[in-house]
Amino acid sequence: EDIATVDNHRIKVFDDISKTRQLYFRPVFAEYYSDAFKNINVQYSIGAGVGYQLIDKSQTEWAVTAGLAYQETRFDSVEAGENQTVSTPALVVSTSYETGLTKRIDFTGYYSFKLLNEASGQYTHHAVATFETKLTSWLDLDISLVWDHIQKPTANADGTLPKPDDYKLMFTLGVEY
């Protein structure tokens, strides 16, 4: 019906260097994000941190990471007198969890929190819960629920304030070869 219901992109990259069996350094992490419905044309952050592996077993892994970052956001449109581009230092805390539920089904969870300045939204949450199902030896079906939250979204030029919460349900087919 020519009605857009979603228009966002997120790319995350990082590198971890183990110091001990549980402690690791994350000398660099970066994220690119855009979301037309949140009035975010381009947002990127880059930082560094440290992490700790809470559980590292054959079926279950759980880690937490914290670090400092720089974030810059360019909005699609802003009200008169407001800045089109804002930047902020950020405190970034995240956790990732993965466990095998059965021989064919795994659960992965990821959550991150960013503490920002008020112009950049004050704080954000990003969470993903995924059930990964092995349908055949080469075909996987993933079902993910995603939650994104911006505490103080920036209004568009017409004064419209984006909703702070966004939920997505995604179905993904993956091929392993």
Side-chain angles (χ1 to χ4, degrees):
E1 296 178 19
D2 293 330
I3 298 173
T5 58
V6 65
D7 186 4
N8 63 61
H9 301 84
R10 183 182 306 266
I11 300 170
K12 292 178 177 247
V13 295
F14 60 88
D15 185 33
D16 292 338
I17 298 172
S18 295
K19 182 68 176 165
T20 67
R21 186 168 176 194
Q22 284 99 8
L23 182 67
Y24 58 91
F25 293 107
R26 187 164 281 178
V28 65
F29 62 85
E31 179 180 73
Y32 166 86
Y33 178 61
S34 70
D35 191 332
F37 290 98
K38 295 281 189 205
N39 190 25
I40 297 173
N41 183 337
V42 173
Q43 180 180 87
Y44 68 87
S45 57
I46 186 163
V50 63
Y52 192 79
Q53 192 81 24
L54 298 169
I55 299 173
D56 188 8
K57 304 284 184 190
S58 63
Q59 288 293 331
T60 303
E61 293 181 5
W62 182 20
V64 295
T65 306
L68 298 175
Y70 168 81
Q71 178 176 294
E72 186 170 295
T73 305
R74 185 178 34 195
F75 300 105
D76 284 322
S77 66
V78 294
E79 294 180 297
E82 295 295 322
N83 291 327
Q84 185 95 20
T85 302
V86 296
S87 61
T88 181
L91 171 66
V92 181
V93 178
S94 66
T95 185
S96 60
Y97 179 81
E98 183 173 342
T99 190
L101 300 175
T102 69
K103 283 179 71 173
R104 300 178 72 112
I105 300 173
D106 291 340
F107 171 80
T108 61
Y110 175 80
Y111 169 80
S112 70
F113 171 84
K114 287 184 187 174
L115 184 59
L116 312 161
N117 65 16
E118 192 166 334
S120 299
Q122 193 169 10
Y123 62 83
T124 65
H125 300 275
H126 173 67
V128 182
T130 302
F131 289 95
E132 303 169 353
T133 306
K134 192 168 233 10
L135 298 176
T136 68
S137 63
W138 57 272
L139 184 64
D140 293 347
L141 170 66
D142 295 354
I143 301 171
S144 301
L145 178 62
V146 180
W147 171 55
D148 286 307
H149 175 82
I150 299 175
Q151 179 61 23
K152 293 189 176 184
T154 298
N156 295 311
D158 65 3
T160 305
L161 197 61
K163 293 180 180 179
D165 291 297
D166 190 17
Y167 302 94
K168 300 171 201 75
L169 180 62
M170 299 186 303
F171 299 88
T172 308
L173 283 175
V175 176
E176 290 184 39
Y177 57 92

